[in-house]
């Protein structure tokens, strides 16, 4: 399966604060404008949008997310040194692709969470469920799931709701990989 590292980092906002995924030393150094310009070059690890990555055959996405310090809303952003696009915007790109390509399966691996409390995690799960709805595959053991068994189950009309996977960092359980299909 083809995947991308820091999949969302095709754009980061050099005007945003340095992300909570960085050390205090980097945060202090970034007050120098030249350092922040260098950070932007380091933070951008992809040159294709989600849609372009999907069209190029990427099906596994490495996703790191954070709330933005000082924001009073529950908005969550992709992050890699600097803040990227809103998670919602990225999910909408992926959902549009899935709608046009109903036999595709995409893996979203939310594997780093920064500056997120339990309410942020719940908001993230609700956003994922809102974005993909019945395109979310049922929660099951990945050791026993195959593409054949998944599509056979769908054909028989045995769709299931995804189990709530909104565990928090404080509980030391992270959001599992999400399997998506149209």
């Amino acid at each position: 399966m083809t995947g991308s590292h820091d999949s969302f980092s095709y754009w980061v906002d050099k005007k945003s604060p340095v992300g909570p995924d960085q050390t205090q030393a980097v945060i202090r150094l970034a007050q120098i404008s030249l350092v922040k310009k260098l950070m932007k070059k380091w933070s951008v690890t992809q040159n294709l949008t989600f849609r372009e990555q999907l069209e190029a055959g990427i099906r596994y996405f490495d996703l790191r997310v954070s709330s933005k310090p000082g924001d009073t809303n529950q908005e969550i952003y992709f992050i890699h040194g600097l803040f990227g696009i809103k998670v919602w915007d990225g999910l909408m790109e992926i959902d549009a692709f899935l709608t046009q390509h109903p036999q595709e399966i995409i893996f979203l691996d939310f594997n780093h969470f920064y500056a997120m409390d339990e309410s942020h995690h719940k908001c993230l799960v609700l956003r994922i469920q809102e974005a993909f709805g019945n395109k979310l595959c049922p929660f099951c053991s990945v050791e026993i799931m195959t593409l054949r068994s998944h599509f056979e189950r769908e054909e028989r009309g045995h769709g299931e709701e995804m189990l709530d996977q909104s565990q928090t960092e404080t509980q030391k359980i992270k959001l599992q990989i999400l399997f998506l299909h149209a």
Side-chain angles (χ1 to χ4, degrees):
M1 170 162 303
T2 308
S4 62
H5 174 68
D6 292 324
S7 305
F8 55 87
S9 64
Y10 53 87
W11 181 86
V12 293
D13 183 3
K14 70 179 179 183
K15 294 178 184 175
S16 75
V18 175
D21 59 333
Q22 298 302 300
T23 65
Q24 285 300 314
V26 170
I27 292 170
R28 283 192 298 277
L29 280 172
Q31 294 173 3
I32 302 167
S33 64
L34 176 63
V35 172
K36 210 158 187 190
K37 287 179 185 175
L38 291 172
M39 273 191 77
K40 180 174 181 177
K41 290 181 184 265
W42 169 82
S43 295
V44 174
T45 61
Q46 299 298 328
N47 62 358
L48 301 176
T49 66
F50 279 124
R51 178 69 187 216
E52 292 166 337
Q53 289 180 59
L54 286 161
E55 288 170 356
I58 301 298
R59 295 298 180 266
Y60 168 87
F61 291 91
D62 166 37
L63 305 172
R64 298 147 195 249
V65 296
S66 179
S67 68
K68 199 179 274 188
D71 272 6
T72 55
N73 60 21
Q74 294 291 310
E75 197 64 60
I76 300 166
Y77 298 83
F78 293 115
I79 189 162
H80 188 236
L82 297 171
F83 287 91
I85 66 171
K86 293 177 181 178
V87 168
W88 177 254
D89 295 338
L91 297 179
M92 291 293 89
E93 276 189 71
I94 293 167
D95 182 60
F97 178 85
L98 282 170
T99 299
Q100 293 174 344
H101 301 88
Q103 290 301 310
E104 293 288 347
I105 292 186
I106 298 169
F107 297 81
L108 301 180
D109 186 2
F110 290 85
N111 59 57
H112 288 74
F113 303 89
Y114 300 98
M116 290 178 60
D117 59 23
E118 189 168 346
S119 65
H120 290 107
H121 284 268
K122 287 181 180 178
C123 182
L124 176 60
V125 169
L126 288 173
R127 282 295 182 116
I128 292 166
Q129 290 172 332
E130 183 180 345
F132 300 114
N134 65 357
K135 292 177 185 157
L136 288 167
C137 289
F139 183 75
C140 70
S141 173
V142 295
E143 290 83 12
I144 62 169
M145 181 180 229
T146 65
L147 292 177
R148 177 178 292 155
S149 67
H150 170 72
F151 285 116
E152 286 173 353
R153 183 173 184 79
E154 289 296 311
E155 288 171 9
R156 290 191 311 264
H158 289 95
E160 299 175 21
E161 294 293 317
M162 182 185 86
L163 296 181
D164 183 7
Q165 298 178 30
S166 60
Q167 293 88 24
T168 66
E169 287 275 331
T170 57
Q171 294 169 325
K172 300 193 184 309
I173 301 172
K174 66 182 188 178
L175 195 64
Q176 300 293 315
I177 293 175
L178 297 174
F179 302 92
L180 301 171
H181 70 95

